[in-house]
Amino acid sequence: MKTETLAHTAIEPGILYFGTPVVLISSSNEDGSANLAPMSSAFWLGWRAMLGLGARSKTAQNLLRTRECVLNLPSDALAAAVDRLALTTGSDPVPAGKTSRGYFHVADKFSRAGLTPVTSETVAPPRVAECPVAMEAVVEAVHPVADDDPRQRGGIVAIEVRVQRVFVHDDILVPGTTDHIDPDAWRPLIMSFQKLYGLGPQVHPSTLARIPERMYRGPDIERARSVSGARG
C-alpha cells in the first residue's frame, strides 16, 4: 500500500530551537557571589560540553574570566523555578540588547528561583541542590560563532567545557548500579521554541542502546579523577 509523502515548505523562522534540555549554569561574579542562568544551547560529547552563549552575557563573561562553572540540569518538575529566572540578568547595568527585550537585573538568582546553593568539590560556583544532575566543569576552549559576518562578529561564542565531577540524585540511577542513569526515571526539562516541556515515555526500542555505555568511556574520566576534591 503506497502512502502519500508530505511536501516540505520553505520558511524563515526567527529561531531554530527545535528542542534541547535546559541547563542552569552557575558561575562566579567578580565579588565571589554566584550567578545562575538558564540556557538551552548545549550538547555533550563524552565528558565535554559545548555551550552556546551571547558573548556579552554575564554568564559568558564569568566563564571567560574564571574558567569554571557548574552545569545543573533541572527536571521537568522544576519548570516554575526555571521560569522565575526568565528575563533576569546578572549584568548591571542591563545591556541595551536585553533591555529592549524586557530583561531586568537580579543579583541573587538563587533566591529569585527559590533554589538552594550547595558547595562544589572542584570549582567555586555552587551546585543547585534541587537539580537531579549537576556537573562541575572547567573551560578548555572558546570558539567564535558567526565570525565570518561583520554584523555578528564577537556576539556569540561556543564555550567548550570539560566535566570534572558528575553528581546525581539517587532516584534517577538504574537500580543496583552506581553509574548508569535510568532514562525512564530521568525527566529533563526541555525548551522548544521558547516554551517548556517534559519528556514522554520511550517511543521505540533503540538499536544503539545495545552498545554498553562503558564502551564510550574516554580519557577525560581518568583526568577528572586526578582533580582534588577539596578546594584551597
Side-chain angles (χ1 to χ4, degrees), residues 2 51 58 61 72 80 87 100 122 127 130 163 172 193 205 209 211 217:
K2 187 175 182 180
L51 312 174
K58 189 63 176 177
Q61 292 173 358
N72 305 278
L87 298 182
S100 64
T122 67
R127 306 193 302 269
E130 291 81 2
V163 173
I172 68 168
F193 290 97
I211 302 174
R217 297 175 72 88

Side-chain angles (χ1 to χ4, degrees), residues 50 85 94:
M50 293 296 295
L85 293 174
V94 179

Side-chain angles (χ1 to χ4, degrees), residues 4 27 30 33 85 106 109 112 127 140 142 151 153-154 171 175 185 198 201 224 231:
E4 181 181 356
S27 60
E30 290 85 349
S33 63
L85 293 174
V106 172
K109 299 282 199 71
R112 168 79 181 182
R127 306 193 302 269
E140 291 290 6
V142 179
R151 297 169 299 176
R153 187 175 299 139
D171 59 3
R231 290 183 57 83

Side-chain angles (χ1 to χ4, degrees), residues 22 28 32 47 64 115 133-134 149-150 159 161 174:
V22 173
S28 295
W47 272 43
L64 295 177
L115 298 172
V133 181
D149 185 349
I159 300 178
V161 300
V174 174

Side-chain angles (χ1 to χ4, degrees), residues 7-186:
H8 288 105
T9 298
I11 65 171
E12 295 180 341
I15 56 176
L16 297 174
Y17 292 104
F18 287 95
T20 50
V22 173
V23 183
L24 288 178
I25 302 181
S26 48
S27 60
S28 295
N29 296 318
E30 290 85 349
D31 62 1
S33 63
N35 187 51
L36 188 64
M39 58 89 75
S40 59
S41 298
F43 68 89
W44 285 263
L45 292 168
W47 272 43
R48 303 215 175 195
M50 293 296 295
L51 312 174
L53 295 165
R56 300 175 185 86
S57 70
K58 189 63 176 177
T59 295
Q61 292 173 358
N62 285 347
L63 265 64
L64 295 177
R65 188 186 72 260
T66 67
R67 314 295 288 188
E68 58 184 22
C69 65
V70 180
L71 309 179
N72 305 278
L73 304 187
S75 68
D76 54 10
L78 294 175
V82 171
D83 195 53
R84 285 192 286 272
L85 293 174
L87 298 182
T88 67
T89 176
S91 297
D92 185 20
V94 179
K98 287 194 170 183
T99 299
S100 64
R101 295 186 176 96
Y103 279 75
F104 56 96
H105 170 68
V106 172
D108 189 348
K109 299 282 199 71
F110 274 88
S111 294
R112 168 79 181 182
L115 298 172
T116 309
V118 177
T119 301
S120 295
E121 277 193 7
T122 67
V123 297
R127 306 193 302 269
V128 177
E130 291 81 2
C131 286
V133 181
M135 295 174 281
E136 299 177 8
V138 292
V139 174
E140 291 290 6
V142 179
H143 310 274
V145 176
D147 215 30
D148 60 302
D149 185 349
R151 297 169 299 176
Q152 302 183 73
R153 187 175 299 139
I156 309 171
V157 290
I159 300 178
E160 179 185 344
V161 300
R162 176 175 53 82
V163 173
Q164 296 190 145
R165 290 287 190 277
V166 179
F167 295 91
V168 302
H169 291 173
D170 288 345
D171 59 3
I172 68 168
L173 286 173
V174 174
T177 71
T178 59
D179 59 0
H180 284 67
I181 304 297
D182 184 352
D184 289 321
W186 166 227

